[in-house]
Amino acid sequence: MKLARQLERRLEDALDGLAGRIFRGGLQVPELTARLARKAELAEFKTPAGPATANHFRLLINPANLEGGSERVSTELSEAFTAHAAERGWRLEGPVTVTIGPSTSVGVGSATCEATVVPGQLPTWATLTDRNGGVVQIRANRALIGRSTDADVIVNAPEISRLHALIYRQDGEAYIVDRASANGTEIDGVSVKKSPMRLPDGSVLTLANLDFRFQKS
């Protein structure tokens, strides 16, 4: 519940100064943001890389409450939710989209929210650069690294395990977990185990015997 309230506050801040020009008839911003936040919590699901949630949300509002020009609100909510997901450590399968539309089935002064997973290409949030200058992009939060085609970040080398390690961001930091790989994982020469280990920006990440420079975008 605490995490849901954190998301509500972030969404309310995103709408500061905008809601009065978009909504009318007694619709309150906390009602709108609470619906989205709770739906995101309920939509959480498990993946091999860890917890994930929906990335496409549709807020439905009675036409009597909708003034028009909701595109700016949709953009602000999408950006706020994207930032919260990164802080929370949620995996997303595609870019966040929050849309707002009318529905006569919704009571005046209220709102409902639909949530779905829509796969799509995510922006790069970090990179791994090898000794030869080759760059591997990390797009998904909670990204699995390995030589398998099931990995989010594919490193095609025989010494790399099929699913070698998990890299993710949460609370403003990047972390890595070894996935019981055959040849191990290190950060600046320190062995990484099954417990999350902080991955500092600019550090050297060693997968088996391959070195990469980790950099946040």
Side-chain angles (χ1 to χ4, degrees), residues 6-92:
Q6 288 175 353
L7 175 54
E8 287 177 44
R9 289 198 185 100
R10 187 187 289 268
L11 295 172
E12 287 169 16
D13 289 344
L15 293 187
D16 185 35
L18 290 175
R21 300 197 298 272
I22 306 299
F23 307 117
R24 62 187 177 188
L27 179 63
Q28 300 296 312
V29 169
E31 169 71 14
L32 194 69
T33 58
R35 290 286 182 179
L36 199 161
R38 290 167 191 163
K39 196 67 175 181
E41 294 283 333
L42 291 172
E44 183 175 304
F45 61 96
K46 294 181 180 179
T47 74
T53 193
N55 64 300
H56 189 278
F57 300 89
R58 180 163 174 78
L59 287 162
L60 298 174
I61 299 168
N62 190 285
N65 295 128
L66 195 58
E67 185 74 32
S70 60
E71 295 81 4
R72 175 74 184 279
V73 173
S74 297
T75 298
E76 294 292 338
L77 289 175
S78 298
E79 292 177 354
F81 187 84
T82 298
H84 178 80
E87 289 291 312
R88 173 73 181 270
W90 267 331
R91 177 184 169 97
L92 300 174

Side-chain angles (χ1 to χ4, degrees), residues 121-178:
Q121 182 165 286
L122 292 158
T124 300
W125 68 269
T127 58
L128 297 176
T129 305
D130 64 27
R131 290 179 175 177
N132 298 318
V135 178
V136 178
Q137 296 179 333
I138 302 174
R139 296 181 181 273
N141 196 17
R142 309 198 73 87
L144 290 168
I145 303 173
R147 73 171 194 275
S148 170
T149 55
D150 292 329
D152 300 294
V153 180
I154 299 175
V155 180
N156 192 14
E159 56 267 50
I160 300 294
S161 295
R162 288 177 53 79
L163 295 176
H164 194 102
L166 167 69
I167 187 170
Y168 67 98
R169 53 183 171 166
Q170 186 172 335
D171 298 324
E173 299 284 356
Y175 297 90
I176 191 162
V177 179
D178 186 80

